[in-house]
Amino acid sequence: MENIIKLEKVAQYNKLKDLETLNPLISLFDNSSTKALPNHTRMHFGFYAIFLKAGNCGELKYGRNNYDYEDGTMIFIAPGQVLEINNPDDYQPTGIGLLFHPDLIKGTTLAKNMSQYSFFSYDSHEALHLSLKEQQIIKDLFGKLEYEVNQSIDKHSKSIISNTIELLLNYCVRFYDRQFITRENINTDILSKFENLLNAYFDSENLQDTGLPSVGYFADLLHLSPNYFGDLIKKETGKSAQEIIQLKLINEAKEKVFDTGKSISQIAFELGFKYPQHFNRMFKKNTGYTPVEYRNLN
């Protein structure tokens, strides 16, 4: 793999694709009529990028399972992320692309809300897969953006463009919600594996040695990005992955407090707390009682 190509400006990407830069902060293009990106390279993006691929996207896997859609794959890239280009030498890109620089949306509601679109931090194998009707909605919004980019800039341009991008992203939130539902069997399997991993962690010596596990720890074991894993768990259970980990800790603490053969300090250390007072504070916050009061109460 060659060195990383740093793309700080939209125009730099356009140059690689032989595209005309109509606006230095935003670019829309049809991939099928442009030059392919340099192959076997890695690109560091300094702007947002959204790609809707058309046709067969090759073999895409979710864990060990193949994606059920080959057509209409959407991938989202945020500033600071790296895209790896490693296609067959005769590969011809398809679909449409949208690039926009953070400066384009400064001062808009979209800029304030960008952190809500967690799919910009999903891995490539967690891409969004659209039905034909969903693809048409996205293409229509791309068309509206293209129309605006090709117009002379006026006082309405920024708000119309940012509002249209925000609408596009909100549709993607809806479509991801649909995808989580239609992949119920896969999601249930992930949830079951998460529960098993969580139980195994608490049954081992890990708590004493390394403390409470993070969401990223389990996401890594399940070969998922933390954001995708967290969103999936939230939609399946109504609770965040962090809340589930915390509930497991509280339930374990309640059980252990009943063991009168151990002091509260011993129990705190077994649960990964360096200081018993931190355990006492956590326990009272979640139960309304100190560990000693809870033990005596029961």
Side-chain angles (χ1 to χ4, degrees):
M1 191 64 62
E2 297 179 12
N3 292 332
I4 294 179
I5 300 174
K6 287 196 173 184
L7 300 172
E8 298 299 332
K9 299 178 181 178
V10 169
Q12 291 174 293
Y13 185 97
N14 287 345
K15 187 176 180 180
L16 290 175
K17 299 278 288 181
D18 281 345
L19 290 166
E20 182 183 0
T21 300
L22 300 176
N23 185 315
L25 299 179
I26 184 170
S27 178
L28 292 104
F29 50 89
D30 181 347
N31 253 323
S32 60
S33 59
T34 64
K35 193 170 88 173
L37 290 170
N39 206 5
H40 309 299
T41 57
R42 301 175 71 200
M43 297 183 178
H44 180 279
F45 281 66
F47 43 81
Y48 294 96
I50 302 172
F51 299 103
L52 171 61
K53 298 179 72 176
N56 192 320
C57 300
E59 187 182 76
L60 297 171
K61 289 183 177 290
Y62 183 102
R64 296 190 176 192
N65 300 291
N66 286 323
Y67 276 125
D68 49 4
Y69 293 176
E70 292 181 333
D71 200 17
T73 304
M74 285 194 81
I75 295 173
F76 306 84
I77 300 169
Q81 294 180 347
V82 175
L83 180 67
E84 187 171 306
I85 311 297
N86 193 20
N87 294 313
D89 291 334
D90 59 350
Y91 175 76
Q92 175 58 47
T94 58
I96 49 182
L98 165 65
L99 315 174
F100 63 96
H101 197 278
D103 289 349
L104 177 77
I105 59 173
K106 273 186 178 177
T108 68
T109 56
L110 177 57
K112 297 176 184 176
N113 296 332
M114 279 305 296
S115 61
Q116 298 178 15
Y117 303 111
S118 53
F119 43 77
F120 275 99
S121 296
Y122 289 178
D123 287 340
S124 59
H125 66 278
E126 298 155 353
L128 177 59
H129 301 277
L130 305 178
S131 67
L132 291 175
K133 287 183 178 179
E134 291 168 347
Q135 287 180 56
Q136 191 56 54
I137 291 171
I138 297 300
K139 288 176 181 177
D140 288 345
L141 289 169
F142 269 86
K144 287 180 170 62
L145 285 170
E146 186 176 23
Y147 171 82
E148 283 300 320
V149 171
N150 282 283
Q151 298 304 303
S152 299
I153 297 175
D154 59 29
K155 64 180 182 180
H156 304 289
S157 299
K158 183 172 182 175
S159 62
I160 290 174
I161 289 173
S162 65
N163 289 341
T164 305
I165 294 174
E166 188 167 14
L167 180 59
L168 185 150
L169 295 176
N170 286 337
Y171 268 111
C172 291
V173 172
R174 170 186 277 181
F175 298 154
Y176 256 118
D177 283 348
R178 184 271 310 152
Q179 181 164 297
F180 280 122
I181 293 170
T182 56
R183 293 165 189 272
E184 185 178 356
N185 291 338
I186 295 173
N187 297 348
T188 302
D189 184 48
I190 290 171
L191 182 58
S192 176
K193 288 178 180 177
F194 171 45
E195 290 171 348
N196 290 336
L197 288 168
L198 188 58
N199 290 333
Y201 191 95
F202 275 81
D203 289 340
S204 69
E205 300 297 322
N206 286 336
L207 270 176
Q208 255 181 299
D209 297 337
T210 58
L212 201 64
S214 66
V215 173
Y217 169 82
F218 293 108
D220 188 54
L221 290 176
L222 293 167
H223 308 293
L224 299 171
S225 67
N227 275 13
Y228 189 90
F229 172 66
D231 289 347
L232 184 153
I233 296 298
K234 181 77 172 179
K235 287 177 173 62
E236 286 293 311
T237 68
K239 294 182 175 68
S240 69
Q242 189 59 53
E243 286 174 325
I244 291 174
I245 295 169
Q246 191 72 20
L247 282 172
K248 177 67 175 175
L249 174 66
I250 294 163
N251 289 332
E252 286 289 317
K254 287 178 179 177
E255 289 294 325
K256 287 181 178 292
V257 164
F258 291 147
D259 186 355
T260 56
K262 292 180 180 177
S263 69
I264 299 301
S265 293
Q266 283 178 291
I267 293 169
F269 291 136
E270 286 180 6
L271 290 171
F273 288 87
K274 291 183 178 180
Y275 305 104
Q277 59 266 36
H278 292 172
F279 171 63
N280 291 346
R281 196 178 304 127
M282 181 280 298
F283 196 92
K284 185 166 185 177
K285 179 182 177 183
N286 287 279
T287 67
Y289 301 97
T290 67
V292 173
E293 289 171 342
Y294 191 83
R295 175 180 280 178
N296 294 335
L297 188 69
N298 288 276

